Amino acid sequence: MRLMLSAIFILPVLTCGSISVNFTIIIALGMYMKEIILGKCGEMALKGLNRTDFESILLKNLRHRLSCCGKFDVSISQSTIYIRPIDETADIDAAFDIALKTFGMSAVSRAAAFEKDMDAIFAGAPGYLEKYLNSVRTFKVEAKRADKTFALKSPEICRELGGKLLEVFPHLKVDVNRPDVIVTVEIREREAYVRAGQHKGAGGLPTGTSGRATVLISGGIDSPVAAWMMARRGLKLSAVHFASPPYTSKRAEKKVMQLLEIVAKYSGPITVYVVPFTKIQEEIRDKVDEPFSTLVMRRLMMRTASIIAKKEHALALITGESLGQVASQTLRALSCTDEAASLTVFRPLIGMDKEEIITIARNIGTFETSIQPFEDCCTVFTPRHPKTRPQLDELLAQEQRLDIEVLVAEAADNAEERLVE
């Protein structure tokens, strides 16, 4: 609840010599206005008979994630999410940031809630909108009249409120084509809501609506982006990270956890398994011909990740591979890698170039962490001339030199489990 301005009085013009001065005095008369958060559901509105299932999961996710910000009432009506603070301890700033990063929310805005009465809107809206309108030159008003019993129609609401705002903010001009700010009035079932613009939400589908998948996460740029993209499609994530001490450091491991923390701000908690991979890499180095070493390593990663993913009831693996980006990501190489996995492999970056991936990494906040100079196990024992057009039978012959079942089972059994949120 916030104390808002409830009346505006314009005093007569005072003249001093040739100078005329207009005094606009805004007096607070003690009216209280509620500020709430409004969210739009986006593509969930197209889910037909299954829509309520998606909406209930989104509400559950929001309630859980907002619990750290105080008490909020979270509800939905006509594909609009309402997040209402219940008491003075509720942190609406933190709640707004969480709502922006919750998958399933296509747009998010802060709004003032009023009684469905134009006088109440006239009294409180100028004070609420002041922070948005003082620094701009043009605006327009849009109205959405869901309650058709409301006395004024949408064009009349726009005209009346627009006129009031021009009185209060005389520096403004109306621009219906390219305004600096769009003021929206929504007349809904319970209340009237006034907002200035809205922010693009995380979009996608609510976490958990598409099942579970396990991401193979490194400390690079690509895999955190792949994790974010698939979580955005409603997947509940777990993660596998391969560590190879002493060739990789604790700082590299910490970097991966920081990347997962950033992704978890969107996806919710992620269970991560840190797999000891040193023994496997040394076995590959000592027994596998160098040109095949990276591909054999990738195949053993897939085998190990598949075992862990099944423990997490995941139905797919996720990697950050992009076609042709490096030697192990040619079409033939990827085909050989997939043969070792016992689950479906999702590669959301497969058709992207590096600049496109970096753009997403910057937008979601992982890029600066990803470029920290701490190497992961993928850079250990890199062959000078890697095989780019492998044949599966060649790789299988190389793997005959290793006790694969024992190595993979041991690595999976000794994985250290952590929770990132």
Side-chain angles (χ1 to χ4, degrees):
M1 304 285 284
R2 295 190 177 188
L3 180 65
M4 295 303 297
L5 307 174
S6 60
I8 298 170
F9 296 87
I10 311 296
L11 296 188
V13 174
L14 301 182
T15 304
C16 180
S18 60
I19 303 176
S20 295
V21 183
N22 276 318
F23 286 89
T24 302
I25 299 179
I26 304 176
I27 303 175
L29 298 180
M31 185 193 77
Y32 281 85
M33 181 278 307
K34 296 180 292 183
E35 185 175 39
I36 71 169
I37 298 170
L38 299 176
K40 300 299 182 182
C41 293
E43 68 177 282
M44 285 192 299
L46 306 176
K47 292 300 179 182
L49 296 176
N50 295 322
R51 187 179 72 182
T52 55
D53 295 333
F54 285 82
E55 291 176 346
S56 63
I57 292 175
L58 175 57
L59 293 179
K60 179 182 176 182
N61 292 345
L62 280 168
R63 289 173 185 139
H64 175 74
R65 300 188 71 190
L66 292 171
S67 62
C68 64
C69 305
K71 295 182 178 180
F72 289 87
D73 175 67
V74 184
S75 61
I76 188 168
S77 177
Q78 297 180 339
S79 297
T80 298
I81 300 287
Y82 298 85
I83 302 173
R84 296 181 172 90
I86 293 177
D87 56 36
E88 294 288 346
T89 64
D91 187 344
I92 197 165
D93 294 327
F96 182 70
D97 186 60
I98 287 173
L100 280 173
K101 294 179 179 177
T102 298
F103 289 128
M105 303 276 272
S106 63
V108 183
S109 58
R110 295 170 72 149
F114 300 101
E115 295 180 19
K116 290 192 289 184
D117 177 84
M118 289 305 295
D119 288 336
I121 295 172
F122 289 162
Y128 180 72
L129 296 170
E130 181 180 9
K131 58 182 176 288
Y132 302 102
L133 298 179
N134 269 344
S135 59
V136 301
R137 293 185 178 184
T138 62
F139 80 109
K140 79 169 181 177
V141 178
E142 293 182 349
K144 300 179 180 180
R145 184 170 159 265
D147 180 1
K148 301 305 181 184
T149 66
F150 191 73
L152 299 182
K153 295 182 179 180
S154 295
E156 296 169 325
I157 296 170
C158 295
R159 183 174 62 249
E160 294 292 330
L161 182 56
K164 176 60 67 174
L165 294 176
L166 288 172
E167 291 179 16
V168 180
F169 304 100
H171 71 283
L172 288 177
K173 291 184 179 180
V174 174
D175 184 343
V176 297
N177 296 314
R178 299 183 65 182
D180 296 327
V181 170
I182 298 175
V183 173
T184 303
V185 185
E186 296 191 38
I187 309 297
R188 293 272 179 175
E189 298 88 344
R190 292 173 52 177
E191 297 167 309
Y193 305 102
V194 177
R195 57 182 170 84
Q198 61 184 5
H199 297 261
K200 186 176 181 181
L205 298 173
T207 299
T209 55
S210 298
R212 294 172 176 263
T214 299
V215 59
L216 281 70
I217 187 85
S218 70
I221 296 170
D222 301 337
S223 56
V225 173
W228 180 88
M229 290 180 68
M230 295 312 301
R232 190 170 182 263
R233 298 313 303 159
L235 287 173
K236 173 68 176 174
L237 296 180
S238 55
V240 173
H241 173 65
F242 296 93
S244 296
Y247 307 107
T248 60
S249 68
K250 281 292 182 182
R251 290 182 299 178
E253 193 175 309
K254 181 180 178 181
K255 171 184 170 182
V256 169
M257 299 305 154
Q258 291 172 340
L259 288 168
L260 287 173
E261 286 173 4
I262 296 170
V263 175
K265 291 183 183 297
Y266 295 88
S267 69
I270 300 172
T271 301
V272 55
Y273 294 84
V274 180
V275 177
F277 211 57
T278 306
K279 182 176 179 180
I280 288 178
Q281 288 199 282
E282 289 178 338
E283 286 280 299
I284 293 172
R285 177 198 61 189
D286 295 340
K287 298 179 180 179
V288 171
D289 292 342
E290 185 181 10
F292 296 95
S293 60
T294 296
L295 288 172
V296 171
M297 179 191 73
R298 294 293 298 173
R299 284 172 54 83
L300 268 64
M301 284 181 171
M302 286 295 194
R303 289 172 180 265
T304 308
S306 295
I307 294 172
I308 293 172
K310 289 176 182 178
K311 291 180 182 179
E312 284 288 307
H313 306 289
L315 298 178
L317 300 178
I318 303 168
T319 76
E321 291 159 314
S322 173
L323 187 63
Q325 186 174 169
V326 294
S328 63
Q329 295 175 21
T330 64
L331 182 57
R332 282 192 182 179
L334 293 174
S335 177
C336 290
T337 301
D338 279 1
E339 194 274 339
S342 57
L343 296 172
T344 300
V345 181
F346 289 143
R347 294 185 172 93
L349 313 185
I350 195 68
M352 293 186 179
D353 63 30
K354 201 66 176 183
E355 287 303 314
E356 292 171 318
I357 299 168
I358 288 173
T359 297
I360 298 175
R362 291 186 187 277
N363 288 339
I364 66 176
T366 58
F367 179 74
E368 294 300 328
T369 302
S370 290
I371 61 174
Q372 292 177 7
F374 307 129
E375 294 185 337
D376 55 51
C377 71
C378 294
T379 60
V380 176
F381 310 134
T382 303
R384 290 166 293 180
H385 304 291
K387 197 80 170 177
T388 59
R389 295 183 178 181
Q391 297 295 327
L392 181 59
D393 58 352
E394 295 177 313
L395 289 168
L396 293 175
Q398 293 288 325
E399 289 178 357
Q400 290 297 317
R401 305 174 184 181
L402 305 171
D403 194 347
I404 287 179
E405 297 300 327
V406 172
L407 288 171
V408 167
E410 183 180 348
D413 289 343
N414 290 326
E416 178 186 346
E417 181 179 346
R418 302 181 193 176
L419 182 65
V420 173
E421 51 187 348

